[in-house]
Amino acid sequence: MEHRLSTTTLSTLSTLTSITFFNCHIPIIHFPSSLTTNLHSFTSINSLQRLTGVFLSHFHNLNHLYISGDPIKASGIHIITSNMKSLKTITLYNTHLTGYLPKDWNPKLIHIDFSKNKLKGSIPTSLTLLKNLNVLNFSSNNLIGVLPNSLGALTSLKILSLSSNSLSGPIPGSISSISGLVHLDLGSNQFNGVIPEFISEMKELKYLNLENNKFHGVLPFNASFIKKLDVFKINGNFDLCYKHSISLEELHLGIARCDKHGMPILPPPAMNTPSSSWVDVGGGGDENGGDDDVVEKNNQVHVNRGPNKVVLGVAIALSAMVFIIIFLVLLFIC
């Protein structure tokens, strides 16, 4: 499609039911009412400039709305969607959207993706009324609060992605009711509590990201469950540990091993003294300089620093001066 559009041109396309703009970089223009009425699918990827919520709200009969990389000026998502009674899928990705999540949702929705925006507030419980929802992606926003206990009512859900927010609290037990869940991403939040065992019983799960949270206790997964996943991320939970087994050791999970009390075994603290320092063996280059003696012991490195060079120089100079004075005295006596 050309980079110049006019209302006249669009009038000739009034029978279209689907329109896509891809890398066009053009300003929005007035769409004829006949076209806005007939369109069932509207897509803009890195294309339309100066998009507004009011402009998008004119497309009353859309089934599919997909905007990616085009900033949208709107006071909230409800401005865009409130009149779209037939909407089934909506993606507003990286559109600089602000405000709160809507409290009213179209019950026909099966796909919601509002990722990489600036949305704030908590996840409304009204969202859990969408019984046919397959995809829910609110990742990379500024959401806070706990997950609704009724989240498990979304029994048709396949993908749940809430990463990179500030969500907190435990993982709701009701999620165990979402038996067909394939993708669960809760990484980089502030979730806490113990990781529920029911996650290991989710037969369809292939992607599990729980990294960079505040989970504690013993990891409830065995090696066979982890190995059946395509992606598993758990590092960055510093109060979480796993029960020692050779099979789990081989997976390099990124968390500590548990002691007999179920607490993480912490690495030994660094030992610092004025004349020496201890560092873990890391396999890196020589950072100690050419004048230091390095001694390996018990998988650690002990660096012998030796005497201070300035003090040594002063001592040599003083010794030389004393020697010269004694020499001159003896020469005078002779």
Side-chain angles (χ1 to χ4, degrees), residues 289-330:
D291 296 327
D292 297 330
D293 296 323
V294 182
V295 181
E296 292 190 14
K297 183 179 180 181
N298 295 332
N299 292 330
Q300 294 176 322
V301 178
H302 184 222
V303 184
N304 297 318
R305 298 296 181 186
N308 188 286
K309 293 182 179 180
V310 176
V311 175
L312 185 61
V314 172
I316 294 174
L318 289 175
S319 299
M321 290 176 64
V322 171
F323 177 81
I324 292 173
I325 292 172
I326 294 173
F327 176 80
L328 292 175
V329 170
L330 290 175

mmCIF file of all heavy atoms in Angstrom, residues 289-330:
data_model
loop_
_atom_site.group_PDB
_atom_site.id
_atom_site.type_symbol
_atom_site.label_atom_id
_atom_site.label_comp_id
_atom_site.label_asym_id
_atom_site.label_seq_id
_atom_site.Cartn_x
_atom_site.Cartn_y
_atom_site.Cartn_z
ATOM 1 N N GLY A 289 48.193 -8.975 39.482
ATOM 2 C CA GLY A 289 49.446 -8.269 39.249
ATOM 3 C C GLY A 289 50.619 -9.219 39.278
ATOM 4 O O GLY A 289 50.547 -10.325 39.782
ATOM 5 N N GLY A 290 51.785 -8.756 38.789
ATOM 6 C CA GLY A 290 52.935 -9.630 38.653
ATOM 7 C C GLY A 290 53.711 -9.840 39.921
ATOM 8 O O GLY A 290 54.546 -10.726 39.994
ATOM 9 N N ASP A 291 53.463 -9.011 40.974
ATOM 10 C CA ASP A 291 54.279 -9.086 42.179
ATOM 11 C C ASP A 291 53.629 -9.897 43.277
ATOM 12 O O ASP A 291 54.159 -10.006 44.369
ATOM 13 C CB ASP A 291 54.542 -7.668 42.720
ATOM 14 C CG ASP A 291 55.356 -6.851 41.724
ATOM 15 O OD1 ASP A 291 56.188 -7.460 41.036
ATOM 16 O OD2 ASP A 291 55.134 -5.631 41.643
ATOM 17 N N ASP A 292 52.414 -10.464 43.053
ATOM 18 C CA ASP A 292 51.705 -11.203 44.092
ATOM 19 C C ASP A 292 51.887 -12.694 43.883
ATOM 20 O O ASP A 292 51.908 -13.185 42.767
ATOM 21 C CB ASP A 292 50.203 -10.892 44.065
ATOM 22 C CG ASP A 292 49.950 -9.423 44.367
ATOM 23 O OD1 ASP A 292 50.762 -8.845 45.107
ATOM 24 O OD2 ASP A 292 48.960 -8.877 43.837
ATOM 25 N N ASP A 293 52.018 -13.426 45.014
ATOM 26 C CA ASP A 293 52.075 -14.884 44.978
ATOM 27 C C ASP A 293 50.669 -15.418 45.169
ATOM 28 O O ASP A 293 49.993 -15.075 46.131
ATOM 29 C CB ASP A 293 52.995 -15.414 46.087
ATOM 30 C CG ASP A 293 54.428 -14.961 45.862
ATOM 31 O OD1 ASP A 293 54.832 -14.915 44.689
ATOM 32 O OD2 ASP A 293 55.094 -14.641 46.855
ATOM 33 N N VAL A 294 50.216 -16.306 44.261
ATOM 34 C CA VAL A 294 48.863 -16.859 44.326
ATOM 35 C C VAL A 294 48.952 -18.317 44.714
ATOM 36 O O VAL A 294 49.650 -19.099 44.082
ATOM 37 C CB VAL A 294 48.146 -16.708 42.971
ATOM 38 C CG1 VAL A 294 46.726 -17.256 43.080
ATOM 39 C CG2 VAL A 294 48.132 -15.249 42.546
ATOM 40 N N VAL A 295 48.205 -18.703 45.776
ATOM 41 C CA VAL A 295 48.212 -20.075 46.265
ATOM 42 C C VAL A 295 46.788 -20.603 46.243
ATOM 43 O O VAL A 295 45.907 -20.020 46.869
ATOM 44 C CB VAL A 295 48.779 -20.137 47.700
ATOM 45 C CG1 VAL A 295 48.795 -21.580 48.188
ATOM 46 C CG2 VAL A 295 50.176 -19.531 47.750
ATOM 47 N N GLU A 296 46.519 -21.708 45.515
ATOM 48 C CA GLU A 296 45.194 -22.312 45.476
ATOM 49 C C GLU A 296 45.046 -23.275 46.641
ATOM 50 O O GLU A 296 45.925 -24.054 46.935
ATOM 51 C CB GLU A 296 44.977 -23.065 44.161
ATOM 52 C CG GLU A 296 44.894 -22.155 42.954
ATOM 53 C CD GLU A 296 44.442 -22.895 41.724
ATOM 54 O OE1 GLU A 296 43.948 -24.023 41.879
ATOM 55 O OE2 GLU A 296 44.570 -22.342 40.624
ATOM 56 N N LYS A 297 43.859 -23.180 47.304
ATOM 57 C CA LYS A 297 43.594 -24.071 48.425
ATOM 58 C C LYS A 297 42.099 -24.204 48.614
ATOM 59 O O LYS A 297 41.405 -23.211 48.775
ATOM 60 C CB LYS A 297 44.234 -23.513 49.702
ATOM 61 C CG LYS A 297 44.067 -24.430 50.914
ATOM 62 C CD LYS A 297 44.739 -23.814 52.126
ATOM 63 C CE LYS A 297 44.589 -24.721 53.337
ATOM 64 N NZ LYS A 297 45.217 -24.153 54.537
ATOM 65 N N ASN A 298 41.585 -25.467 48.596
ATOM 66 C CA ASN A 298 40.166 -25.735 48.837
ATOM 67 C C ASN A 298 39.267 -24.915 47.931
ATOM 68 O O ASN A 298 38.320 -24.263 48.373
ATOM 69 C CB ASN A 298 39.824 -25.450 50.302
ATOM 70 C CG ASN A 298 40.543 -26.381 51.255
ATOM 71 O OD1 ASN A 298 40.860 -27.510 50.900
ATOM 72 N ND2 ASN A 298 40.820 -25.893 52.461
ATOM 73 N N ASN A 299 39.584 -24.904 46.621
ATOM 74 C CA ASN A 299 38.770 -24.192 45.633
ATOM 75 C C ASN A 299 38.697 -22.698 45.887
ATOM 76 O O ASN A 299 37.751 -22.032 45.545
ATOM 77 C CB ASN A 299 37.351 -24.750 45.593
ATOM 78 C CG ASN A 299 37.316 -26.148 45.031
ATOM 79 O OD1 ASN A 299 38.156 -26.496 44.204
ATOM 80 N ND2 ASN A 299 36.364 -26.936 45.480
ATOM 81 N N GLN A 300 39.718 -22.149 46.536
ATOM 82 C CA GLN A 300 39.791 -20.721 46.762
ATOM 83 C C GLN A 300 41.175 -20.235 46.380
ATOM 84 O O GLN A 300 42.098 -21.015 46.167
ATOM 85 C CB GLN A 300 39.486 -20.381 48.223
ATOM 86 C CG GLN A 300 38.033 -20.698 48.618
ATOM 87 C CD GLN A 300 37.801 -20.443 50.082
ATOM 88 O OE1 GLN A 300 38.670 -20.715 50.887
ATOM 89 N NE2 GLN A 300 36.636 -19.913 50.414
ATOM 90 N N VAL A 301 41.304 -18.948 46.290
ATOM 91 C CA VAL A 301 42.589 -18.366 45.933
ATOM 92 C C VAL A 301 43.053 -17.482 47.060
ATOM 93 O O VAL A 301 42.332 -16.569 47.489
ATOM 94 C CB VAL A 301 42.475 -17.538 44.636
ATOM 95 C CG1 VAL A 301 43.807 -16.897 44.302
ATOM 96 C CG2 VAL A 301 42.033 -18.433 43.495
ATOM 97 N N HIS A 302 44.255 -17.735 47.580
ATOM 98 C CA HIS A 302 44.826 -16.900 48.618
ATOM 99 C C HIS A 302 45.935 -16.068 47.992
ATOM 100 O O HIS A 302 46.877 -16.598 47.428
ATOM 101 C CB HIS A 302 45.371 -17.765 49.753
ATOM 102 C CG HIS A 302 45.886 -16.941 50.908
ATOM 103 N ND1 HIS A 302 47.030 -17.223 51.579
ATOM 104 C CD2 HIS A 302 45.373 -15.824 51.464
ATOM 105 C CE1 HIS A 302 47.235 -16.338 52.527
ATOM 106 N NE2 HIS A 302 46.225 -15.467 52.475
ATOM 107 N N VAL A 303 45.807 -14.758 48.097
ATOM 108 C CA VAL A 303 46.766 -13.844 47.479
ATOM 109 C C VAL A 303 47.676 -13.288 48.553
ATOM 110 O O VAL A 303 47.223 -12.578 49.466
ATOM 111 C CB VAL A 303 46.040 -12.687 46.766
ATOM 112 C CG1 VAL A 303 47.045 -11.801 46.058
ATOM 113 C CG2 VAL A 303 45.027 -13.237 45.784
ATOM 114 N N ASN A 304 48.986 -13.617 48.483
ATOM 115 C CA ASN A 304 49.974 -13.054 49.394
ATOM 116 C C ASN A 304 50.478 -11.738 48.834
ATOM 117 O O ASN A 304 51.167 -11.694 47.826
ATOM 118 C CB ASN A 304 51.149 -14.029 49.556
ATOM 119 C CG ASN A 304 50.693 -15.334 50.194
ATOM 120 O OD1 ASN A 304 49.908 -15.315 51.132
ATOM 121 N ND2 ASN A 304 51.188 -16.457 49.681
ATOM 122 N N ARG A 305 50.131 -10.649 49.507
ATOM 123 C CA ARG A 305 50.456 -9.335 48.978
ATOM 124 C C ARG A 305 51.910 -8.949 49.193
ATOM 125 O O ARG A 305 52.446 -8.165 48.429
ATOM 126 C CB ARG A 305 49.544 -8.280 49.641
ATOM 127 C CG ARG A 305 48.054 -8.505 49.349
ATOM 128 C CD ARG A 305 47.775 -8.363 47.900
ATOM 129 N NE ARG A 305 46.348 -8.553 47.610
ATOM 130 C CZ ARG A 305 45.836 -8.603 46.424
ATOM 131 N NH1 ARG A 305 46.611 -8.529 45.365
ATOM 132 N NH2 ARG A 305 44.536 -8.767 46.244
ATOM 133 N N GLY A 306 52.592 -9.460 50.286
ATOM 134 C CA GLY A 306 53.982 -9.081 50.544
ATOM 135 C C GLY A 306 54.081 -7.701 51.164
ATOM 136 O O GLY A 306 53.094 -7.006 51.345
ATOM 137 N N PRO A 307 55.327 -7.230 51.507
ATOM 138 C CA PRO A 307 55.502 -5.929 52.158
ATOM 139 C C PRO A 307 55.172 -4.786 51.215
ATOM 140 O O PRO A 307 55.321 -4.885 50.013
ATOM 141 C CB PRO A 307 56.988 -5.919 52.535
ATOM 142 C CG PRO A 307 57.626 -6.893 51.606
ATOM 143 C CD PRO A 307 56.601 -7.947 51.359
ATOM 144 N N ASN A 308 54.774 -3.647 51.803
ATOM 145 C CA ASN A 308 54.455 -2.456 51.040
ATOM 146 C C ASN A 308 55.709 -1.915 50.370
ATOM 147 O O ASN A 308 56.769 -1.761 50.990
ATOM 148 C CB ASN A 308 53.849 -1.415 51.990
ATOM 149 C CG ASN A 308 53.318 -0.226 51.230
ATOM 150 O OD1 ASN A 308 54.097 0.589 50.761
ATOM 151 N ND2 ASN A 308 51.990 -0.144 51.135
ATOM 152 N N LYS A 309 55.614 -1.586 49.078
ATOM 153 C CA LYS A 309 56.792 -1.151 48.302
ATOM 154 C C LYS A 309 57.340 0.183 48.782
ATOM 155 O O LYS A 309 58.545 0.421 48.756
ATOM 156 C CB LYS A 309 56.419 -1.078 46.826
ATOM 157 C CG LYS A 309 56.107 -2.439 46.207
ATOM 158 C CD LYS A 309 55.785 -2.314 44.735
ATOM 159 C CE LYS A 309 55.487 -3.680 44.120
ATOM 160 N NZ LYS A 309 55.173 -3.579 42.689
ATOM 161 N N VAL A 310 56.443 1.108 49.204
ATOM 162 C CA VAL A 310 56.898 2.422 49.675
ATOM 163 C C VAL A 310 57.705 2.281 50.955
ATOM 164 O O VAL A 310 58.790 2.870 51.112
ATOM 165 C CB VAL A 310 55.688 3.352 49.899
ATOM 166 C CG1 VAL A 310 56.128 4.682 50.489
ATOM 167 C CG2 VAL A 310 54.957 3.586 48.585
ATOM 168 N N VAL A 311 57.187 1.461 51.899
ATOM 169 C CA VAL A 311 57.895 1.242 53.164
ATOM 170 C C VAL A 311 59.249 0.610 52.913
ATOM 171 O O VAL A 311 60.269 0.967 53.530
ATOM 172 C CB VAL A 311 57.043 0.352 54.094
ATOM 173 C CG1 VAL A 311 57.813 0.001 55.363
ATOM 174 C CG2 VAL A 311 55.737 1.063 54.432
ATOM 175 N N LEU A 312 59.276 -0.356 51.994
ATOM 176 C CA LEU A 312 60.531 -1.030 51.666
ATOM 177 C C LEU A 312 61.557 -0.051 51.104
ATOM 178 O O LEU A 312 62.734 -0.084 51.454
ATOM 179 C CB LEU A 312 60.252 -2.154 50.668
ATOM 180 C CG LEU A 312 61.442 -3.055 50.308
ATOM 181 C CD1 LEU A 312 61.957 -3.773 51.549
ATOM 182 C CD2 LEU A 312 61.029 -4.071 49.247
ATOM 183 N N GLY A 313 61.105 0.877 50.248
ATOM 184 C CA GLY A 313 62.025 1.859 49.663
ATOM 185 C C GLY A 313 62.611 2.794 50.696
ATOM 186 O O GLY A 313 63.812 3.135 50.678
ATOM 187 N N VAL A 314 61.739 3.260 51.635
ATOM 188 C CA VAL A 314 62.219 4.152 52.699
ATOM 189 C C VAL A 314 63.238 3.438 53.576
ATOM 190 O O VAL A 314 64.269 4.019 53.970
ATOM 191 C CB VAL A 314 61.026 4.654 53.540
ATOM 192 C CG1 VAL A 314 61.506 5.424 54.758
ATOM 193 C CG2 VAL A 314 60.112 5.538 52.693
ATOM 194 N N ALA A 315 62.995 2.186 53.888
ATOM 195 C CA ALA A 315 63.916 1.411 54.739
ATOM 196 C C ALA A 315 65.275 1.277 54.080
ATOM 197 O O ALA A 315 66.319 1.407 54.737
ATOM 198 C CB ALA A 315 63.315 0.042 55.038
ATOM 199 N N ILE A 316 65.285 1.030 52.783
ATOM 200 C CA ILE A 316 66.568 0.889 52.064
ATOM 201 C C ILE A 316 67.321 2.208 52.070
ATOM 202 O O ILE A 316 68.563 2.260 52.276
ATOM 203 C CB ILE A 316 66.310 0.415 50.629
ATOM 204 C CG1 ILE A 316 65.737 -1.020 50.641
ATOM 205 C CG2 ILE A 316 67.571 0.478 49.798
ATOM 206 C CD1 ILE A 316 65.307 -1.521 49.283
ATOM 207 N N ALA A 317 66.605 3.331 51.865
ATOM 208 C CA ALA A 317 67.267 4.644 51.848
ATOM 209 C C ALA A 317 67.884 4.980 53.201
ATOM 210 O O ALA A 317 69.015 5.484 53.286
ATOM 211 C CB ALA A 317 66.253 5.710 51.438
ATOM 212 N N LEU A 318 67.131 4.712 54.284
ATOM 213 C CA LEU A 318 67.653 4.984 55.631
ATOM 214 C C LEU A 318 68.885 4.132 55.930
ATOM 215 O O LEU A 318 69.858 4.605 56.536
ATOM 216 C CB LEU A 318 66.557 4.722 56.660
ATOM 217 C CG LEU A 318 65.390 5.733 56.681
ATOM 218 C CD1 LEU A 318 64.315 5.283 57.649
ATOM 219 C CD2 LEU A 318 65.900 7.123 57.049
ATOM 220 N N SER A 319 68.816 2.875 55.502
ATOM 221 C CA SER A 319 69.979 1.985 55.727
ATOM 222 C C SER A 319 71.211 2.518 55.011
ATOM 223 O O SER A 319 72.333 2.482 55.542
ATOM 224 C CB SER A 319 69.649 0.572 55.249
ATOM 225 O OG SER A 319 68.544 0.039 55.962
ATOM 226 N N ALA A 320 71.009 3.018 53.787
ATOM 227 C CA ALA A 320 72.150 3.556 53.025
ATOM 228 C C ALA A 320 72.743 4.780 53.707
ATOM 229 O O ALA A 320 73.985 4.957 53.758
ATOM 230 C CB ALA A 320 71.678 3.905 51.616
ATOM 231 N N MET A 321 71.877 5.656 54.254
ATOM 232 C CA MET A 321 72.359 6.864 54.925
ATOM 233 C C MET A 321 73.147 6.506 56.175
ATOM 234 O O MET A 321 74.210 7.095 56.457
ATOM 235 C CB MET A 321 71.166 7.760 55.298
ATOM 236 C CG MET A 321 70.471 8.403 54.090
ATOM 237 S SD MET A 321 69.020 9.358 54.547
ATOM 238 C CE MET A 321 69.804 10.634 55.554
ATOM 239 N N VAL A 322 72.676 5.535 56.966
ATOM 240 C CA VAL A 322 73.401 5.097 58.176
ATOM 241 C C VAL A 322 74.766 4.530 57.804
ATOM 242 O O VAL A 322 75.785 4.791 58.459
ATOM 243 C CB VAL A 322 72.560 4.054 58.938
ATOM 244 C CG1 VAL A 322 73.386 3.420 60.063
ATOM 245 C CG2 VAL A 322 71.302 4.699 59.505
ATOM 246 N N PHE A 323 74.783 3.749 56.715
ATOM 247 C CA PHE A 323 76.042 3.154 56.273
ATOM 248 C C PHE A 323 77.050 4.237 55.888
ATOM 249 O O PHE A 323 78.250 4.167 56.240
ATOM 250 C CB PHE A 323 75.777 2.231 55.087
ATOM 251 C CG PHE A 323 77.026 1.621 54.499
ATOM 252 C CD1 PHE A 323 77.625 0.511 55.082
ATOM 253 C CD2 PHE A 323 77.622 2.181 53.367
ATOM 254 C CE1 PHE A 323 78.768 -0.034 54.542
ATOM 255 C CE2 PHE A 323 78.770 1.618 52.843
ATOM 256 C CZ PHE A 323 79.357 0.525 53.410
ATOM 257 N N ILE A 324 76.601 5.275 55.184
ATOM 258 C CA ILE A 324 77.498 6.353 54.759
ATOM 259 C C ILE A 324 78.043 7.108 55.960
ATOM 260 O O ILE A 324 79.239 7.454 56.026
ATOM 261 C CB ILE A 324 76.752 7.316 53.806
ATOM 262 C CG1 ILE A 324 76.437 6.579 52.478
ATOM 263 C CG2 ILE A 324 77.569 8.576 53.543
ATOM 264 C CD1 ILE A 324 75.562 7.380 51.553
ATOM 265 N N ILE A 325 77.138 7.382 56.978
ATOM 266 C CA ILE A 325 77.596 8.114 58.176
ATOM 267 C C ILE A 325 78.657 7.321 58.915
ATOM 268 O O ILE A 325 79.688 7.862 59.333
ATOM 269 C CB ILE A 325 76.393 8.412 59.093
ATOM 270 C CG1 ILE A 325 75.450 9.423 58.414
ATOM 271 C CG2 ILE A 325 76.852 8.942 60.454
ATOM 272 C CD1 ILE A 325 74.158 9.632 59.149
ATOM 273 N N ILE A 326 78.423 6.013 59.107
ATOM 274 C CA ILE A 326 79.413 5.161 59.807
ATOM 275 C C ILE A 326 80.722 5.143 59.040
ATOM 276 O O ILE A 326 81.830 5.223 59.623
ATOM 277 C CB ILE A 326 78.847 3.736 59.978
ATOM 278 C CG1 ILE A 326 77.639 3.760 60.928
ATOM 279 C CG2 ILE A 326 79.928 2.787 60.505
ATOM 280 C CD1 ILE A 326 76.917 2.442 61.025
ATOM 281 N N PHE A 327 80.617 5.072 57.692
ATOM 282 C CA PHE A 327 81.830 5.049 56.875
ATOM 283 C C PHE A 327 82.645 6.320 57.047
ATOM 284 O O PHE A 327 83.880 6.321 57.165
ATOM 285 C CB PHE A 327 81.446 4.827 55.427
ATOM 286 C CG PHE A 327 82.604 4.871 54.465
ATOM 287 C CD1 PHE A 327 83.429 3.759 54.325
ATOM 288 C CD2 PHE A 327 82.888 6.008 53.737
ATOM 289 C CE1 PHE A 327 84.493 3.780 53.447
ATOM 290 C CE2 PHE A 327 83.962 6.029 52.879
ATOM 291 C CZ PHE A 327 84.764 4.923 52.724
ATOM 292 N N LEU A 328 81.943 7.503 57.039
ATOM 293 C CA LEU A 328 82.650 8.788 57.198
ATOM 294 C C LEU A 328 83.291 8.916 58.582
ATOM 295 O O LEU A 328 84.399 9.475 58.710
ATOM 296 C CB LEU A 328 81.656 9.943 56.948
ATOM 297 C CG LEU A 328 81.151 10.088 55.508
ATOM 298 C CD1 LEU A 328 80.091 11.179 55.428
ATOM 299 C CD2 LEU A 328 82.307 10.424 54.555
ATOM 300 N N VAL A 329 82.608 8.437 59.631
ATOM 301 C CA VAL A 329 83.175 8.492 60.979
ATOM 302 C C VAL A 329 84.457 7.676 61.064
ATOM 303 O O VAL A 329 85.471 8.093 61.615
ATOM 304 C CB VAL A 329 82.146 8.006 62.011
ATOM 305 C CG1 VAL A 329 82.783 7.832 63.382
ATOM 306 C CG2 VAL A 329 80.977 9.001 62.114
ATOM 307 N N LEU A 330 84.411 6.454 60.527
ATOM 308 C CA LEU A 330 85.583 5.588 60.559
ATOM 309 C C LEU A 330 86.728 6.197 59.739
ATOM 310 O O LEU A 330 87.905 6.119 60.138
ATOM 311 C CB LEU A 330 85.211 4.208 59.982
ATOM 312 C CG LEU A 330 84.251 3.356 60.862
ATOM 313 C CD1 LEU A 330 83.880 2.081 60.123
ATOM 314 C CD2 LEU A 330 84.923 3.024 62.194
#
